[in-house]
């Protein structure tokens, strides 16, 4: 049984005032000049600490306020009001919603599971991963508590191929050749974000966090070679034009899908025996793409990395399927071909929250790769100004690498605890068992089809 895994988190305050969801509108006109203003009675002292921030061009009270409404209710002239912050509403996009960005910032700062304390008031289903309901029937058992140690729950996963069988001689000596294998203590790898105000300090922060967490970061080869002191935690990504030199210190190497990918893999394995090789492919459900996955699995490829677009959909495809549906399709195809245990399948794109890790694995992944949340941990607002060549509003490229690593470790520490909570609630004590466990998840579209298809079917 693997040793119990624990992530040490440390407070890592933000460099810039964060953008709060709500703001205080404080009308001075009509003030009675009370002897004891309600502002002085704020239990959080936000009126004493407030200031105007030139960094965010706003009042820091928007972030400091805890929304207790004591001042709003206590002002005799009702001159203090709460309102939604328009800057907060402009954060992110359709996947990285303002709520998700705010929660990610908080987790990166303190490493704690976000708790609203006011219940959940949103919709019960939505697009993508939000259309999946996990079976939490075991949550009624108080012993299911992986965070506080009353139950051992393992989040360890293995990278590489598993042998079909083991062969022994008459004396019991193992005859089967061991296959290359890398074990990581949580089902999360890092991969290079699709955009970002990147710098050597940012790459070091990602690599250092991966080393601290005992996982791997898939970085462009040039960046990986510049971080030789952290090579044990890195997997260089080679473009088709990159040579196969200077890779001896890496345990895993990733190649782009290309006509000569298998030949390059064989050359790499000849030069560096024992290295795991991953093939990076677009997450497309077309039959020819799935057939190529089958071909790779039969040809000895140990790892497949499916890459969706930033929203978690099929890349370069109009109205493409969501990553969850693409994963289910490739998982079914590998099972039908009898090859599922012969290859490790991971994916990136649209993995925005801890729950997405578990849901993606239930669809059929062995583990996930995280990209944009790493930037959000470093205070990114997902504005994508950097993609247009504009200045980053929080100058991520200027971070201190050690501070950045702490923020990323804190985020994954909070995610790890949430993964333990979900696994415990589902009665699953082993992360490997999450892979393709369709019996522990309900898909809203399937439920709706089963419930209403016959009712609304056209009469012929």
């Amino acid at each position: 049984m693997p040793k119990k895994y624990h992530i040490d988190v440390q407070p890592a305050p933000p460099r810039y005032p964060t953008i709060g969801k709500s703001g205080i509108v404080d009308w001075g006109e009509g003030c009675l000049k009370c002897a004891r203003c309600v502002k002085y009675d704020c239990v959080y002292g936000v009126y004493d600490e407030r200031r105007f921030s030139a960094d965010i061009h706003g009042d820091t009270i928007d972030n400091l306020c805890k929304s207790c409404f004591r001042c709003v209710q206590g002002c005799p002239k009702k001159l203090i009001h709460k309102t939604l912050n328009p800057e907060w509403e402009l954060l992110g996009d359709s996947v990285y919603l303002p709520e998700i960005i705010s929660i990610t910032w908080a987790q990166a700062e303190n490493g704690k599971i976000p708790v609203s304390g006011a219940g959940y008031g949103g919709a019960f289903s939505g697009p993508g991963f939000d259309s999946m309901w996990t079976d939490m029937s075991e949550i009624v058992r108080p012993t299911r508590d992986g965070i506080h140690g009353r139950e051992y729950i393992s989040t360890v996963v293995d990278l590489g191929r598993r042998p079909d069988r083991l062969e022994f001689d008459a004396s019991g000596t193992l005859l089967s050749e061991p296959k290359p294998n890398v074990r990581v203590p949580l089902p999360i790898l890092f991969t290079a974000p699709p955009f970002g105000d990147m710098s050597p300090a940012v790459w070091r922060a990602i690599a250092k966090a991966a080393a601290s967490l005992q996982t791997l970061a898939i970085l462009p080869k040039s960046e990986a070679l510049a971080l030789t002191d952290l090579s044990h935690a890195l997997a260089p990504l080679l473009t088709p034009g990159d040579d196969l030199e200077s890779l001896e210190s890496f345990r895993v190497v990733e190649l782009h899908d290309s006509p000569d990918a298998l030949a390059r893999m064989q050359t790499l394995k000849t030069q560096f025996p024992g290295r795991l090789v991953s093939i990076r492919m677009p997450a497309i459900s077309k039959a020819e793409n799935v057939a190529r996955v089958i071909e790779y699995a039969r040809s000895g490829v140990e790892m497949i990395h499916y890459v969706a677009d930033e929203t978690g959909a099929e890349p370069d495809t109009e109205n493409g399927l969501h990553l969850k549906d693409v994963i289910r399709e490739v998982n079914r195809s590998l099972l039908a071909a009898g090859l599922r245990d012969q290859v490790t399948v991971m994916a990136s794109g649209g993995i925005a929250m801890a729950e997405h890790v578990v849901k993606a694995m239930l669809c059929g992944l062995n583990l996930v790769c995280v990209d944009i949340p790493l930037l959000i941990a470093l205070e990114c607002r997902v504005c994508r100004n950097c993609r247009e060549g504009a200045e980053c509003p929080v100058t991520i490229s200027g971070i201190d690498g050690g501070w950045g690593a702490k923020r990323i470790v804190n985020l994954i520490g909070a995610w790890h605890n949430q993964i333990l909570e979900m696994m415990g609630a589902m009665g699953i004590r082993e992360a490997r068992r999450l892979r393709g466990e369709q019996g522990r998840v309900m898909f809203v579209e399937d439920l709706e089809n089963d419930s209403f298809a016959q009712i609304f079917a056209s009469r012929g």
Side-chain angles (χ1 to χ4, degrees):
M1 182 179 288
K3 182 182 177 182
K4 190 168 184 179
Y5 180 64
H6 176 72
I7 298 175
D8 290 315
V9 299
Q10 304 175 34
R15 298 173 302 145
Y16 293 85
T18 53
I19 299 173
K21 179 177 182 179
S22 59
I24 291 286
V25 177
D26 182 4
W27 296 100
E29 185 177 352
C31 178
L32 296 177
K33 306 297 182 183
C34 298
R36 184 68 183 178
C37 179
V38 292
K39 298 176 185 177
Y40 297 125
D41 293 327
C42 175
V43 295
Y44 300 104
V46 299
Y47 289 97
D48 297 328
E49 298 177 25
R50 71 185 300 188
R51 61 184 175 84
F52 180 83
S53 171
D55 297 323
I56 62 172
H57 301 290
D59 192 336
T60 59
I61 201 170
D62 295 347
N63 176 54
L64 297 171
C65 180
K66 306 301 181 184
S67 297
C68 70
F69 287 88
R70 182 173 179 175
C71 60
V72 174
Q73 294 173 340
C75 180
K77 289 289 286 183
K78 306 300 180 186
L79 299 178
I80 302 175
H81 304 274
K82 287 282 289 182
T83 183
L84 279 176
N85 184 353
E87 289 293 322
W88 182 85
E89 293 182 288
L90 292 174
L91 288 173
D93 55 27
S94 60
V95 173
Y96 294 94
L97 301 170
E99 292 89 348
I100 292 177
I101 293 176
S102 294
I103 288 171
T104 303
W105 284 342
Q107 292 175 108
E109 180 177 351
N110 55 42
K112 297 178 181 178
I113 293 179
V115 179
S116 68
Y120 175 69
F124 281 95
S125 69
F129 288 119
D130 288 339
S131 67
M132 295 174 63
W133 296 345
T134 52
D135 176 5
M136 299 291 190
S137 57
E138 291 292 326
I139 202 169
V140 298
R141 295 179 59 185
T143 57
R144 296 289 187 188
D145 192 347
I147 294 179
H148 298 292
R150 290 189 291 240
E151 180 185 40
Y152 177 85
I153 298 178
S154 172
T155 54
V156 169
V157 293
D158 298 300
L159 312 181
R161 298 172 71 90
R162 293 175 59 184
D164 291 328
R165 61 188 180 277
L166 297 178
E167 296 181 359
F168 300 85
D169 63 16
S171 64
T173 302
L174 180 65
L175 298 176
S176 302
E177 286 285 335
K179 295 183 180 294
N181 180 279
V182 171
R183 176 169 290 182
V184 291
L186 76 167
I188 298 173
L189 302 187
F190 299 157
T191 189
F195 59 83
D197 183 27
M198 309 304 284
S199 68
V202 177
W203 294 119
R204 175 162 288 278
I206 295 172
K208 191 173 180 180
S212 176
L213 295 164
Q214 302 170 50
T215 186
L216 294 171
I218 303 169
L219 304 185
K221 182 186 177 185
S222 59
E223 306 300 340
L225 290 178
L227 297 164
T228 53
D229 56 317
L230 297 168
S231 59
H232 63 287
L234 300 178
L237 169 62
L238 277 61
T239 64
D242 285 337
D243 59 50
L244 302 180
E245 304 299 324
S246 306
L247 300 174
E248 58 275 359
S249 60
F250 302 103
R251 297 180 292 170
V252 179
V253 175
E254 186 161 287
L255 305 174
H256 278 281
D257 180 30
S258 63
D260 66 342
L262 284 176
R264 283 168 64 80
M265 180 192 77
Q266 295 300 336
T267 301
L268 194 152
K269 283 190 161 293
T270 300
Q271 289 184 237
F272 309 104
R275 300 299 182 275
L276 290 181
V277 175
S278 171
I279 302 293
R280 187 185 190 96
M281 303 181 65
I284 298 175
S285 62
K286 290 182 179 178
E288 56 267 29
N289 206 58
V290 175
R292 190 144 179 82
V293 173
I294 301 295
E295 177 191 358
Y296 279 144
R298 286 192 173 128
S299 301
V301 173
E302 294 128 331
M303 300 170 63
I304 298 289
H305 180 180
Y306 254 23
V307 182
D309 69 14
E310 295 165 23
T311 69
E314 291 179 281
D316 303 319
T317 304
E318 187 176 358
N319 299 319
L321 293 177
H322 187 266
L323 180 62
K324 70 178 179 64
D325 300 305
V326 179
I327 297 167
R328 294 172 72 190
E329 177 61 31
V330 74
N331 188 60
R332 281 193 294 262
S333 299
L334 286 168
L335 285 170
L339 296 168
R340 188 60 192 86
D341 286 336
Q342 298 301 304
V343 63
T344 295
V345 182
M346 55 189 182
S348 59
I351 307 293
M353 305 173 68
E355 67 183 63
H356 296 171
V357 177
V358 174
K359 290 180 176 181
M361 294 176 71
L362 290 171
C363 289
L365 292 184
N366 295 85
L367 70 162
V368 306
C369 297
V370 175
D371 45 26
I372 295 176
L374 304 179
L375 289 178
I376 300 176
L378 304 180
E379 300 181 287
C380 176
R381 300 176 182 180
V382 197
C383 64
R384 295 181 173 83
N385 284 355
C386 52
R387 179 168 281 166
E388 306 300 327
E391 184 178 354
C392 174
V394 290
T395 321
I396 289 177
S397 60
I399 67 165
D400 173 75
W403 173 87
K406 282 184 184 179
R407 298 271 297 188
I408 294 172
V409 169
N410 285 351
L411 174 63
I412 302 303
W415 279 26
H416 181 250
N417 281 339
Q418 291 170 79
I419 292 169
L420 290 177
E421 289 278 81
M422 291 186 70
M423 290 176 61
M426 288 189 288
I428 295 178
R429 300 173 63 183
E430 170 64 56
R432 298 182 186 94
R433 282 189 52 210
L434 286 171
R435 191 199 77 190
E437 183 55 83
Q438 300 287 301
R440 301 302 178 94
V441 64
M442 294 169 283
F443 297 91
V444 173
E445 56 264 33
D446 294 341
L447 296 175
E448 290 178 342
N449 185 62
D450 293 342
S451 300
F452 304 113
Q454 296 303 317
I455 298 175
F456 297 106
S458 61
R459 297 178 180 179

